[in-house]
Amino acid sequence: MFARLCRRFGRVDVDREESRVKQTKPKEACRQTSSPENILNKVQANEEEERLNRELELTTKERNELTDRLLYVTGGSMSTSPYFRPNPFYENLKIKEKEVMSLLHNLDTKNIEHREKFQELKKEINFYRNLHSRLLMDQACMKKKLVTLKQESKEVQRYLFELNRKDEDEQEKTSNLQTQQNVVSGTAGDMA
């Protein structure tokens, strides 16, 4: 692993034994007064450490991107990968996702059904509104007709009343004439 990192960062010429020797030196050697070379080595070591950290971050980022691409290409099935280790949290999350997706699908179908029912109810409401407005218009027309028929009825009744009165006057006149004729014929018969 260390060799791979060294090759990756271009430090192939690192002597492993030298690094081991530095690690095994007694603490007393570290307590020596720091010379400019030691300070320079510490600064270089800090810079190198920062550079390695940046490289590690970039490598991790690149690895994550490649993993994402691999997931995209394989359609999300990493279980076939030799480096795949099943994660129980991930498995639980997949189960929850299936449940949620099923619930979402059910809600979508119910939503579609309710929309269709709502559209049917809107059509029915519009039908009954139109019917109600037609009935109100018919009622208004009937009222107008009723008013005109009442007026015509009054006029006919007045006309009939007039006719009836004229007829009664005529009958009175004829009965008066008949009585007068009877009186005149009765007096003429008495005179004879």
Side-chain angles (χ1 to χ4, degrees):
M1 176 81 174
F2 184 71
R4 256 183 36 204
L5 283 174
C6 289
R7 270 186 265 124
R8 173 83 173 130
F9 299 123
R11 303 228 24 220
V12 181
D13 59 339
V14 172
D15 186 11
R16 291 186 192 134
E17 288 185 26
E18 182 183 324
S19 63
R20 287 186 195 150
V21 170
K22 285 182 184 177
Q23 289 174 0
T24 59
K25 282 186 181 180
K27 292 182 181 178
E28 294 169 6
C30 293
R31 289 187 183 167
Q32 293 175 357
T33 58
S34 55
S35 65
E37 284 182 18
N38 286 343
I39 293 173
L40 187 61
N41 285 339
K42 285 181 183 179
V43 170
Q44 287 176 345
N46 286 340
E47 288 175 358
E48 187 67 22
E49 183 181 353
E50 287 177 17
R51 187 180 70 77
L52 288 174
N53 283 336
R54 282 192 302 258
E55 288 287 329
L56 183 61
E57 286 176 9
L58 289 173
T59 306
T60 305
K61 184 178 177 183
E62 185 179 327
R63 183 201 63 196
N64 291 341
E65 288 175 0
L66 290 172
T67 303
D68 290 343
R69 286 185 189 170
L70 180 63
L71 281 172
Y72 178 74
V73 169
T74 59
S77 62
M78 284 292 292
S79 57
T80 57
S81 170
Y83 303 107
F84 177 75
R85 285 178 291 173
N87 186 344
F89 296 116
Y90 180 73
E91 296 301 320
N92 288 338
L93 188 63
K94 281 175 74 174
I95 292 169
K96 291 282 185 192
E97 180 194 20
K98 285 181 183 178
E99 291 173 0
V100 168
M101 293 305 286
S102 172
L103 181 66
L104 184 64
H105 177 71
N106 290 341
L107 288 174
D108 282 343
T109 54
K110 285 182 181 178
N111 189 17
I112 291 169
E113 290 172 6
H114 288 297
R115 277 190 196 157
E116 290 172 356
K117 286 181 183 177
F118 181 71
Q119 292 298 329
E120 289 174 12
L121 289 174
K122 277 176 75 174
K123 287 178 184 176
E124 235 177 283
I125 288 170
N126 287 336
F127 171 76
Y128 285 117
R129 276 188 187 151
N130 291 339
L131 183 64
H132 181 69
S133 63
R134 278 192 226 143
L135 289 174
L136 287 175
M137 287 172 47
D138 287 348
Q139 184 182 16
C141 288
M142 289 297 174
K143 283 183 180 178
K144 286 181 183 177
K145 286 182 182 178
L146 183 64
V147 168
T148 55
L149 286 174
K150 282 183 179 178
Q151 288 175 349
E152 288 177 5
S153 173
K154 286 180 182 177
E155 288 176 12
V156 168
Q157 285 177 353
R158 200 176 307 134
Y159 179 72
L160 287 175
F161 181 73
E162 296 274 331
L163 279 179
N164 200 10
R165 207 172 75 186
K166 284 183 184 178
D167 192 36
E168 286 176 0
D169 287 344
E170 286 291 321
Q171 284 178 356
E172 255 182 63
K173 285 181 184 177
T174 49
S175 69
N176 284 340
L177 281 176
Q178 284 178 353
T179 19
Q180 283 178 357
Q181 282 177 358
N182 286 341
V183 171
V184 170
S185 54
T187 48
D190 284 333
M191 290 197 189

